[in-house]
Amino acid sequence: QDLPPLEAKDSYKVGFAQTESNNPWRIAQTKSFQDTAATCGWELVLTDAGGSAAKQVADVDSMIAQGIDVLFLPPREESPLIPAVMRAKGAGIPTFLVDRSVDPNVAQAGRDYVSFLGSDFIDQGGRAAGWLTENFKGDKGVIIELEGTTGSSPANDRKKGFDDAIAGDSRFSIVASRSGDFARDEGRKVMETLLQAHPDVNVVYAHNDEMAIGAIQALEAAGRKPGEDVTIVSVDGTRDALQAIIDGKMGVTVESSPFFGPLACDTMKKYAAGETITPWVKVEDRIFTKENAAEHIGEAY
Amino acid sequence: MTEPLLQMTGITKAFGGVPALSDAALTIHAGEVHSLVGQNGAGKSTLIKILTGVYRRDAGTVRWQGREIDLKSPREAQEAGIATIYQELTLVPQRTVIENIVLGYEPKTRFGMIDWRVAEARTRDVLSRFGIDLDPHRALGSYPTAIQQLVAIGRAASMDARLLIMDEPTSSLDEREVEVLFGVIRQLKSQGTAVIYVSHFLDELFEICDGVTILRDGRTVGAARIADLTKLDLIAAMLGRSAEDIRRAGMTELAASTTPAGGSPVIEAEGLATDRRLRRLDLSVRAGQIVGLAGLLESGRTEAARALFGMDALTAGQILLDGQPAAIASPRAAIAAGIGFLSEDRKTEGIIPDLSVRENLTLALLPRLSRMGVIDEARERSIVEHFIRALGIKTAHMDQPIRELSGGNQQKVLLGRWLAIEPRFLILDEPTRGVDVGAKREIQAIIRERVEQGCAVLLISSEFEELIEGAHDIVVMQEGRSVTRLSNPGVTEDQLIHAMAAGGAA
Amino acid sequence: MKRLFGQGHVAVWVALLALIVFGALRYDNFVSAYNLSSFLGYNSMFVLISVGMCLVIMTGGIDLSVGTVAALASVVAAQLSPHGLAVALPAGVAAGLAAGALNAGMIAGLRLPPFMATLATMLAAKGAALRLSENRAVPVDWASDFTKLGMNKIANILPWTMLIALIVVVAAWLIVQRSSLGRTVLAIGGNAEAAHLMGLKTHRAEIFVYVFSGGCAGLAGVYLASGYGAGQPLEGAGWELAAIAAVVVGGTLLTGGMGSVPATVAGALLFGVVFNLLNFENGRGTISLSAHWQSVIRGFFLLVVILLQVRLARPAAKK
Amino acid sequence: MSLRPDRQLSGLLVALAALTLLNVIITPNFLNMQTLAVNVSQVATIAIVALGMTLVIASGGIDLSVGSTMAVAGALAPIVFLSDWALANPGLGLTASILLPLIVAGLCGLFNGVLISMFGVQPIIATLILFISGRGIAQVLTNGNLQTFTNPSFTWLGTGRVFGLPVQGWIALVLTLILGWVVRRTIYGRYLLSAGGNERAAVMAGVPVARVKIATYVIAAVLAGLAGLIVVAINSASDAARIGQLMELDAIAAAVVGGAALAGGRAPILGTLLGAVFIQLMGYTLIANGISDEMTLIVTAAIIAVAVWLQRGRRA
Ligand SMILES: Nc1ncnc2c1ncn2[C@@H]1O[C@H](COP(=O)(O)OP(=O)(O)OP(=O)(O)O)[C@@H](O)[C@H]1O
Ligand SMILES: Nc1ncnc2c1ncn2[C@@H]1O[C@H](COP(=O)(O)OP(=O)(O)OP(=O)(O)O)[C@@H](O)[C@H]1O
Ligand SMILES: [Mg+2]
Ligand SMILES: [Mg+2]
């Protein structure tokens, strides 16, 4: 069965079914879509699932009922959003997945939805580990890992990417891996506690920048010198993280850009024009270190 | 003699180390109406609750129909054939009258569902036996205490029990209803049902009971056929004093009619009405005067009190304090104006169960006991100590939670709450309800003393004796109106009954 | 009729009706088969947990565990989905019943306060769900008949799940109205001590409501897995509050002793309609409500309904 | 006060001692000053909110909105001290950035209190309204953005030390002492317990129940606001979406483990502090010993159940 076509016109009714709005990354992503709407001729229908995959499906349903032309969907979870993708397809609405994908065993790009626009969470974790193995000076790396929200796919993937990569280097051992819920406050608390139990730690890998900043605060409060005696690596590329890199407190953050709007507009236009879209429109994530942080801090969120 | 129906011996029970019962005993025969008497806190209710499995006994044996038993819950007691009306009303006020009658024993249809039609018929049956006419579909809580009490009795009486226990069933009933109740008891008795009857109204005991067991300080001090005793003997045994002492004191202590009331009116009600069934109340009480308020159930006496105490908004009329119109918009305002109100509903409108005796007693007095919001605890303690002694409150210590006190003692604490504010005008709704004969006289004496000091009292009572001996004047109410005012001395019981009933026709 | 619409229950029906009329007039396709069936499907989960919660609240208790228990049940059902609906459905419900039994044991057996007991179960069920699922959503087997339950509809409008939910509702209503168990439930809420002294089987009734609520949550969890393609250990956050709100907006007092099953259903649907309306409003293009504004509006709406309820209930209470 | 709360307290103390002993044995580096400081700083916010919650529970109510109130206060503070006016008047600006959020938090409490005591709305639902929209309001105020800042004098509230221990720990302790005294010795405390113990009877004894309840919700909200400020100060950042999330459950749990009865009428202030400490220490133990996140949930559940059961057991 073929993908639903999209006719080329000036204005589209575009659905964007956001998963939640409880972190800066999501808010920046939503804002990016809103900003693009003005320039790209979108009449944007915005919903917010409040962190519930089931509600996200219901939200997509209500968009279908409203007769949207195109759907941009950042699926909260791989499997639970499949019904949404299938129903959009059934209603003749071309769908683009954003920032996360769905289970490829059931729904496939080019058949059930047009394409997946996004980066690779596993790869993000792997690149953080890669930078670490290259730049770590000591001979024994004792790692604390601050995981994202337990059970969420970025947490699972960033953990897998990092852990698999680090396993290849015998210098490193992960002494504790624990959820900080992607939040600064929680990251700080967990770090404070783990630091007491493992004072010999000299590497922190956080699944996002907010927790990394929390970890830096915990380290400083305990009289440690983040950046000097503890290396910190993380993912996202927020302004605070870039600042921390500039200040020498943090080693690296792997970019995970929330600014999907322009790419979405571009890809949709191409699709409407009849071009074939690759199943995975990869977002080229940069990597921010001392070398380039100052240069990019202006564009960070 | 045949095997007794129930035989309790050597029953012992302590609460947190404080003994409530020590070596209590009770024997009941089938078809006997047996009374359990004793002062407040003597352990009557506790003994009953041990029998029905609410409390576990520390020691002692219970034989029921010749076999030793150990009931673990009220349900087991009911299944064994013991139905109980507990002292504190134990019904569900939010639910309808029908439900409260049939709960736990609902008639079922063939499909195992409740047959509401049969349930209603059964309820009407029970109600008509007690001559109550009400809407059984309404929530029980919307009816006055007396009605609720009758429903509780009706429920228990309809359970076909071998033994029916009534812990102070008549405390909120008037004489007419008591007569109805006695009719029912006699009928049950003729069917062979035994009844344990607890009451502080000794006259009732002589009227209805066959045998009596006397408890004092948790111990059974005597059991006898009631016919073999005089009232004085009974009182003497309860109090542990000689009959001679008692004789000298006389029966009620109010006896206010002997002293003429001479003060100026403290409070006057002119044509008061509320949308709670108070239609028109005219009333005045002078300093040093006791005015009685008489009336049948539903006549609106409680409503009159509520209006005077600022609990219900007035829809007509006004209240004068010392001749000046006064706006009494809330109980708080009433208290500030020197008015106290002892409610008839001790449990829901009186005690704060988790607070101590001390905290309960000083609750209304607090504004005067504190400076800048801080309570003067030393003064508080001395005041409480005074009232515990003056009212003879039986409590382990003043910091004991009030819920652990016996019913009568709770009542005394609440009376203390109002006496403590030294009111100019005190409304007493059934003040001696549930209070034993000894304490009753003490309470009456205290009230009289306050009146002599100039306090004005409005006394609501279902006991004619209390009204006739105690009140200077008696205002009679009917259907929310004050209809007659009788003046003592000289009011007779007949006169009063006539005034209460006759107006209905007028 | 009076039972259905009586007392404080009017407010919720009035509000529900008003919102539906408002939506129908203001938005295209609001009352369309598509929107209706999706609405009923999604909200059948909330109807289920709300009914369970209603019975619990009638006893004066509370069940905070419904959301995570549903998540746990969804994981169990999804894991067993290759064996088909006939295995996965009972297994999911059984998981819910087991959690309910745990609550019942702590509350009726150990006499823990319901709030704390079910809070503990709420945490434990989430932990168990994460553990079983190894921290990720468990895909269902699309080849088995398991997903039929969640996906199929009668006449293209009425989802099976809503039909099942309605059957549970009717059963609960009958139990409350017509069985001694149901009357005991209400009596406990009215006056637990009195109910005990009246010789009612209070333990049995307490156990029943928590197990029933657990079963409802289990069923909702099975539907979650079946209708959304996966067992979801993280789903269910905040469901307990949604259910409590539905019950209360339906005119039931949290102190127990009274309440209405049908009005609770209306309450659950009411909140569903609000979400649905917000989505449609955002689609009209006039204003775009951010998620933040949406929660402000939802709170405000709750306030309005509650005040409406207070107003409508007042005169009745006075009499 | 009667003997009862003391007996309850002693049960909790025994549990705390056992947990501490367990930690001394199994947790590395447990006996050191930094461990104490970490725990004190982490428990302080829960304890402060739980104190207010205890009063609310004593009045027979519950307050679900404390987390949202924290978010509102926490979102406001940076807005105030980052404003041009505050930057021009640092002293005044700092004062305002503390007072204004507390006042607004108090207004949240006023809203709850009025709904509950004047309109007769059930507490759980009345406070659910702000639970839902309060955080939304905080997010609208900040446009959902994370506000980060450097302001050493404000940050002191979260990171400062007095006698070697975190400032917020001292604040929690002082508040406990004050509230403990208020409950025992003031007319407000007595009125609170009466209103929660038997509202009808309290009204008839002249207790201004409505005023007492309103005051209680205001106090609880102001305390929550203070906790919100502390959280923001520790993190040097305000994230309206996250501040105080799930705080209501932690606070209620602390109060109940400390001996509060949800039916009202009891306000074990010291117990609440210990309850909060117990919950904190339990969390610390699990994290420091590398118990996985899922198991942490299960073990926490079991410990809460046992702790509450111990409380109950002593009462029966
Ligand atoms: N649950 C309890 N906890 C502690 N003490 C109790 C409890 N129940 C009763 N008591 C004490 O036991 C004693 C006997 O009380 P009980 O209620 O049996 O008296 P009673 O004879 O029924 O009095 P009354 O005529 O006032 O009803 C009293 O001193 C009372 O304080
Ligand atoms: N049979 C009845 N049907 C309906 N309502 C009743 C009935 N009996 C009483 N009530 C309610 O009870 C109230 C009457 O008060 P109540 O009977 O307490 O008056 P009272 O004269 O103070 O009696 P008492 O103080 O002896 O109980 C009314 O508000 C009325 O609503
Ligand atoms: Mg008694
Ligand atoms: Mg009366």
Side-chain angles (χ1 to χ4, degrees):
Chain A
Q1 205 184 341
D2 283 342
L3 283 171
L6 183 64
E7 107 193 63
K9 50 183 183 178
D10 287 342
S11 159
Y12 296 93
K13 193 164 185 176
V14 169
F16 178 60
Q18 184 56 287
T19 64
E20 61 210 335
S21 304
N22 67 355
N23 62 66
W25 196 92
R26 286 285 165 202
I27 288 159
Q29 188 187 35
T30 306
K31 189 158 178 307
S32 168
F33 271 86
Q34 281 169 322
D35 293 346
T36 307
T39 59
C40 197
W42 289 349
E43 190 193 311
L44 194 64
V45 183
L46 194 65
T47 60
D48 184 296
S52 159
K55 174 154 191 305
Q56 200 177 16
V57 176
D59 286 345
V60 169
D61 266 332
S62 79
M63 287 177 173
I64 296 172
Q66 290 173 59
I68 49 167
D69 301 317
V70 186
L71 173 64
F72 288 101
L73 174 67
R76 190 182 148 75
E77 300 266 356
E78 275 209 333
S79 305
L81 264 298
I82 284 175
V85 171
M86 293 310 197
R87 275 180 232 174
K89 180 189 176 191
I93 297 166
T95 300
F96 297 84
L97 299 185
V98 182
D99 84 57
R100 293 185 200 175
S101 190
V102 295
D103 188 349
N105 298 323
V106 188
Q108 275 168 13
R111 186 187 76 192
D112 302 307
Y113 59 95
V114 180
S115 171
F116 162 53
L117 326 176
S119 35
D120 180 343
F121 291 140
I122 298 185
D123 189 45
Q124 289 170 348
R127 291 168 71 192
W131 184 91
L132 180 66
T133 47
E134 261 170 49
N135 292 277
F136 184 71
K137 296 289 182 302
D139 36 58
K140 200 164 160 283
V142 180
I143 304 176
I144 285 180
E145 182 169 347
L146 295 175
E147 302 172 20
T149 304
T150 313
S152 68
S153 53
N156 288 333
D157 290 352
R158 285 176 189 166
K159 179 171 178 58
K160 182 171 163 41
F162 182 89
D163 290 6
D164 286 355
I166 215 78
D169 192 326
S170 60
R171 286 179 297 165
F172 296 102
S173 62
I174 300 174
V175 290
S177 182
R178 178 89 207 177
S179 171
D181 211 18
F182 282 135
R184 183 183 295 208
D185 191 45
E186 196 60 26
R188 176 185 55 80
K189 284 188 191 166
V190 170
M191 190 64 207
E192 282 174 350
T193 303
L194 291 177
L195 200 55
Q196 284 305 106
H198 307 283
D200 55 339
V201 62
N202 57 6
V203 178
V204 173
Y205 166 47
H207 287 185
N208 77 347
D209 285 343
E210 276 296 286
M211 292 192 293
I213 304 287
I216 290 174
Q217 289 167 338
L219 287 163
E220 286 178 336
R224 307 289 295 268
K225 296 222 158 36
E228 286 175 32
D229 53 7
V230 183
T231 308
I232 294 162
V233 299
S234 160
V235 184
D236 260 1
T238 65
R239 179 172 304 140
D240 282 8
L242 296 195
Q243 187 60 51
I245 291 174
I246 293 167
D247 296 345
K249 294 176 178 175
M250 195 161 145
V252 69
T253 180
V254 177
E255 186 188 33
S256 181
S257 169
F259 303 115
F260 280 93
L263 181 65
C265 172
D266 204 45
T267 318
M268 188 202 80
K269 288 249 163 85
K270 281 186 189 155
Y271 182 70
E275 289 182 36
T276 15
I277 310 291
T278 51
W280 184 352
V281 180
K282 265 204 189 171
V283 174
E284 282 317 315
D285 286 330
R286 294 166 293 188
I287 182 157
F288 297 120
T289 61
K290 210 164 181 63
E291 282 75 55
N292 63 353
E295 192 180 322
H296 292 295
I297 192 161
E299 64 203 57
Y301 62 97
Chain B
M1 231 183 197
T2 55
E3 170 95 53
L5 181 68
L6 170 73
Q7 199 166 21
M8 299 176 79
T9 44
I11 306 291
T12 300
K13 172 76 185 175
F15 290 104
V18 183
L21 290 175
S22 36
D23 197 20
L26 178 65
T27 304
I28 313 281
H29 291 273
E32 175 193 24
V33 179
H34 193 97
S35 150
L36 194 56
V37 300
Q39 277 181 282
N40 295 130
K44 302 178 293 293
S45 301
T46 306
L47 187 62
I48 288 165
K49 286 182 174 172
I50 281 175
L51 172 60
T52 61
V54 178
Y55 295 149
R56 312 305 310 273
R57 57 184 181 268
D58 298 337
T61 53
V62 178
R63 292 176 72 80
W64 170 249
Q65 297 185 322
R67 262 185 300 131
E68 206 165 297
I69 55 162
D70 187 19
L71 299 170
K72 290 183 197 66
S73 74
R75 176 94 199 166
E76 286 185 19
Q78 282 180 15
E79 278 162 2
I82 302 173
T84 314
I85 301 145
Y86 295 93
Q87 184 173 10
E88 309 80 26
L89 260 185
T90 52
L91 294 172
V92 187
Q94 289 94 327
R95 307 314 309 169
T96 64
V97 175
I98 300 181
E99 281 174 63
N100 273 289
I101 298 255
V102 301
L103 261 175
Y105 303 89
E106 300 90 346
K108 302 278 171 65
T109 64
R110 262 180 307 153
F111 309 107
M113 302 267 106
I114 300 176
D115 192 335
W116 285 116
R117 214 155 343 135
V118 175
E120 179 171 350
R122 198 203 283 172
T123 302
R124 292 199 184 280
D125 206 42
V126 170
L127 294 179
S128 71
R129 222 166 138 190
F130 288 88
I132 327 172
D133 177 29
L134 46 66
D135 176 5
H137 292 287
R138 269 183 48 185
L140 180 73
S142 67
Y143 292 107
T145 327
I147 298 279
Q148 298 190 29
Q149 182 85 57
L150 287 175
V151 170
I153 296 170
R155 172 188 162 84
S158 70
M159 283 200 288
D160 294 326
R162 302 287 323 266
L163 172 65
L164 180 59
I165 303 173
M166 301 184 175
D167 196 351
E168 302 197 26
T170 54
S171 61
S172 48
L173 301 187
D174 67 22
E175 317 227 330
R176 215 174 38 162
E177 292 147 354
V178 172
E179 269 321 307
V180 176
L181 174 64
F182 284 179
V184 174
I185 291 179
R186 288 193 187 98
Q187 194 188 332
L188 288 169
K189 180 179 164 173
S190 69
Q191 293 161 8
T193 307
V195 175
I196 297 179
Y197 189 87
V198 180
S199 175
H200 292 293
F201 299 110
L202 300 185
D203 294 335
E204 289 176 7
L205 307 187
F206 285 95
E207 188 178 341
I208 194 77
C209 296
D210 307 310
V212 59
T213 294
I214 301 153
L215 278 180
R216 193 167 69 227
D217 294 332
R219 222 173 280 274
T220 296
V221 294
R225 291 181 46 77
I226 200 138
D228 301 340
L229 297 174
T230 66
K231 205 160 150 185
L232 271 183
D233 296 334
L234 204 53
I235 296 172
M238 274 168 59
L239 303 186
R241 282 155 59 186
S242 77
E244 200 45 41
D245 277 358
I246 315 281
R247 196 194 317 276
R248 255 183 279 130
M251 277 334 294
T252 72
E253 283 285 335
L254 278 172
S257 39
T258 53
T259 50
S264 56
V266 172
I267 190 157
E268 290 157 278
E270 294 178 350
L272 294 196
T274 63
D275 50 16
R276 233 181 187 270
R277 281 211 173 187
L278 188 65
R279 304 245 174 74
R280 181 174 180 89
L281 178 74
D282 293 293
L283 186 85
S284 74
V285 189
R286 293 170 183 280
Q289 185 185 36
I290 299 179
V291 171
L293 203 52
L296 298 175
L297 224 127
E298 244 186 304
S299 56
R301 294 167 300 175
T302 299
E303 280 62 27
R306 291 174 61 94
L308 291 171
F309 197 57
M311 291 174 71
D312 299 332
L314 299 183
T315 53
Q318 62 171 347
I319 298 172
L320 306 181
L321 274 175
D322 296 325
Q324 300 299 314
I328 300 176
S330 67
R332 191 168 170 76
I335 292 167
I339 303 176
F341 175 27
L342 181 64
S343 164
E344 64 175 334
D345 192 343
R346 170 165 75 222
K347 198 171 171 187
T348 63
E349 295 185 336
I351 63 168
I352 317 281
D354 281 341
L355 289 192
S356 65
V357 169
R358 165 172 60 90
E359 290 161 323
N360 267 285
L361 201 145
T362 56
L363 193 55
L365 185 66
L366 280 185
R368 275 190 262 157
L369 262 183
S370 41
R371 277 182 57 196
M372 319 225 348
V374 182
I375 299 167
D376 180 347
E377 211 171 307
R379 243 185 83 206
E380 181 184 29
R381 286 186 175 276
S382 78
I383 289 173
V384 173
E385 225 160 84
H386 165 78
F387 278 103
I388 287 181
R389 229 177 315 110
L391 296 171
I393 296 168
K394 191 181 170 209
T395 173
H397 47 85
M398 68 170 76
D399 291 323
Q400 189 177 17
I402 195 169
R403 69 181 134 77
E404 293 178 359
L405 263 56
S406 80
N409 281 301
Q410 291 178 1
Q411 183 73 5
K412 292 188 199 170
V413 174
L414 294 180
L415 180 63
R417 177 188 288 173
W418 294 115
L419 294 179
I421 68 165
E422 304 192 326
R424 305 158 57 211
F425 175 49
L426 186 56
I427 308 166
L428 302 170
D429 198 353
E430 311 283 1
T432 56
R433 162 169 303 169
V435 169
D436 68 53
V437 269
K440 195 173 201 162
R441 289 172 50 230
E442 289 163 24
I443 288 176
Q444 288 166 340
I446 289 165
I447 294 171
R448 190 185 57 185
E449 187 189 330
R450 282 304 169 94
V451 170
E452 279 166 2
Q453 288 162 9
C455 181
V457 169
L458 183 67
L459 177 68
I460 303 174
S461 177
S462 298
E463 277 180 76
F464 293 152
E465 200 176 53
E466 207 165 56
L467 284 179
I468 291 167
E469 283 190 28
H472 295 97
D473 285 4
I474 301 175
V475 172
V476 178
M477 290 193 70
Q478 273 167 7
E479 295 180 355
R481 291 166 214 275
S482 48
V483 289
T484 335
R485 184 166 179 137
L486 306 171
S487 265
N488 254 326
V491 182
T492 64
E493 211 168 301
D494 279 348
Q495 217 178 343
L496 187 57
I497 292 171
H498 185 74
M500 281 165 53
Chain C
M1 263 348 218
K2 208 181 145 202
R3 282 245 172 83
L4 203 52
F5 298 110
Q7 297 165 20
H9 309 160
V10 204
V12 64
W13 292 107
V14 170
L16 182 59
L17 214 69
L19 283 187
I20 292 174
V21 169
F22 173 81
L25 294 179
R26 188 169 165 88
Y27 312 111
D28 298 336
N29 295 325
F30 183 75
V31 189
S32 60
Y34 192 91
N35 193 43
L36 209 62
S37 77
S38 136
F39 173 82
L40 292 176
Y42 178 61
N43 284 290
S44 51
M45 296 189 290
F46 293 96
V47 167
L48 277 171
I49 56 165
S50 301
V51 169
M53 184 72 78
C54 179
L55 263 60
V56 169
I57 287 180
M58 280 175 178
T59 65
I62 202 156
D63 186 354
L64 299 182
S65 70
V66 289
T68 61
V69 168
L72 174 63
S74 79
V75 168
V76 170
Q79 282 176 334
L80 294 173
S81 62
H83 303 287
L85 190 60
V87 174
L89 171 72
V93 175
L97 293 173
L102 179 64
N103 283 330
M106 286 190 282
I107 294 160
L110 302 179
R111 311 258 31 121
L112 303 191
F115 196 99
M116 295 311 287
T118 58
L119 177 65
T121 303
M122 170 188 178
L123 299 177
K126 184 174 180 187
L130 284 169
R131 188 118 242 241
L132 271 181
S133 66
E134 288 167 344
N135 284 355
R136 41 185 85 228
V138 181
V140 299
D141 180 357
W142 289 89
S144 82
D145 64 350
F146 178 65
T147 51
K148 292 215 173 87
L149 171 74
M151 304 286 178
N152 289 9
K153 299 177 174 98
I154 299 164
N156 245 335
I157 288 199
L158 183 65
W160 274 103
T161 49
M162 183 47 98
L163 185 71
I164 295 174
L166 289 180
I167 293 172
V168 172
V169 167
V170 172
W173 194 34
L174 273 181
I175 288 172
V176 169
Q177 291 298 330
R178 301 297 297 273
S179 78
S180 43
L181 183 64
R183 292 289 121 174
T184 307
V185 165
L186 289 167
I188 295 173
N191 186 345
E193 192 196 343
H196 176 64
L197 291 179
M198 284 164 93
L200 302 184
K201 292 173 183 159
T202 52
H203 267 60
R204 206 183 58 161
E206 267 187 323
I207 292 169
F208 166 74
V209 293
Y210 288 99
V211 173
F212 180 79
S213 174
C216 286
L219 203 50
V222 172
Y223 172 49
L224 180 65
S226 169
Y228 299 89
Q232 303 176 44
L234 292 185
E235 191 56 73
W239 282 19
E240 68 286 351
L241 292 177
I244 293 168
V247 172
V248 172
V249 163
T252 301
L253 284 179
L254 282 167
T255 42
M258 44 89 68
S260 156
V261 171
T264 295
V265 175
L269 294 179
L270 184 66
F271 288 110
V273 173
V274 173
F275 271 118
N276 204 239
L277 283 175
L278 285 171
N279 282 351
F280 271 80
E281 183 59 43
N282 261 359
R284 278 187 95 232
T286 36
I287 39 167
S288 185
L289 296 166
S290 70
H292 319 320
W293 274 113
Q294 292 192 20
S295 54
V296 176
I297 290 171
R298 279 195 298 131
F300 178 76
F301 177 78
L302 181 58
L303 175 67
V304 170
V305 176
I306 290 293
L307 291 182
L308 186 68
Q309 192 186 42
V310 169
R311 270 209 81 99
L312 290 179
R314 269 272 159 86
K318 231 177 195 167
K319 254 205 98 192
Chain D
M1 284 257 143
S2 70
L3 298 168
R4 208 157 295 264
D6 297 347
R7 228 193 290 163
Q8 252 176 3
L9 266 190
S10 63
L12 193 52
L13 280 171
V14 169
L16 257 180
L19 193 55
T20 309
L21 194 66
L22 179 77
N23 270 298
V24 170
I25 297 168
I26 66 166
T27 308
N29 311 311
F30 185 73
L31 286 181
N32 88 31
M33 199 58 190
Q34 179 65 11
T35 302
L36 183 63
V38 163
N39 276 298
V40 167
S41 92
Q42 292 187 4
V43 78
T45 46
I46 298 180
I48 291 171
V49 177
L51 290 175
M53 187 68 79
T54 303
L55 299 182
V56 168
I57 290 176
S59 80
I62 202 155
D63 188 351
L64 297 183
S65 71
V66 286
S68 295
T69 307
M70 285 174 71
V72 171
L76 268 179
I79 292 179
V80 174
F81 65 65
L82 293 176
S83 68
D84 295 339
W85 170 79
L87 293 176
N89 311 281
L92 273 181
L94 184 69
T95 317
S97 69
I98 291 173
L99 283 186
L100 188 77
L102 292 184
I103 291 170
V104 173
L107 290 176
C108 291
L110 187 66
F111 175 82
N112 289 335
V114 166
L115 269 188
I116 290 161
S117 55
M118 318 277 270
F119 289 87
V121 178
Q122 304 181 60
I124 204 169
I125 285 298
T127 58
L128 183 62
I129 292 170
L130 272 183
F131 171 88
I132 295 173
S133 23
R135 193 172 292 282
I137 292 169
Q139 287 171 309
V140 167
L141 282 175
T142 58
N143 236 329
N145 292 322
L146 181 77
Q147 307 177 82
T148 59
F149 54 84
T150 35
N151 182 333
S153 20
F154 184 79
T155 313
W156 183 80
L157 202 55
T159 55
R161 300 252 173 137
V162 176
F163 302 123
L165 285 178
V167 153
Q168 67 264 44
W170 292 110
I171 296 179
L173 191 64
V174 169
L175 284 172
T176 305
L177 295 177
I178 293 176
L179 287 179
W181 177 83
V182 164
V183 166
R184 274 161 183 264
R185 297 300 303 276
T186 67
I187 195 163
Y188 161 77
R190 197 69 66 78
Y191 279 170
L192 173 69
L193 297 179
S194 315
N198 183 351
E199 183 166 339
R200 266 176 78 182
V203 168
M204 288 195 58
V207 174
V209 170
R211 254 192 293 159
V212 167
K213 282 194 181 179
I214 292 175
T216 303
Y217 284 91
V218 171
I219 293 172
V222 171
L223 290 177
L226 178 60
L229 294 184
I230 291 172
V231 170
V232 168
I234 306 177
N235 291 320
S236 291
S238 159
D239 182 353
R242 291 304 192 103
I243 303 168
Q245 233 183 6
L246 295 182
M247 180 55 101
E248 64 285 348
L249 291 184
D250 283 341
I252 294 167
V256 173
V257 167
L262 289 166
R266 277 198 281 153
I269 293 292
L270 187 56
T272 296
L273 182 70
L274 295 180
V277 169
F278 180 81
I279 287 173
Q280 164 64 29
L281 193 55
M282 179 179 75
Y284 183 91
T285 311
L286 294 170
I287 295 179
N289 288 288
I291 309 294
S292 73
D293 289 292
E294 319 86 81
M295 280 315 288
T296 297
L297 289 167
I298 296 174
V299 174
T300 306
I303 294 178
I304 286 184
V306 171
V308 177
W309 177 70
L310 284 176
Q311 296 279 354
R312 290 275 115 172
R314 303 200 148 250
R315 244 174 87 81

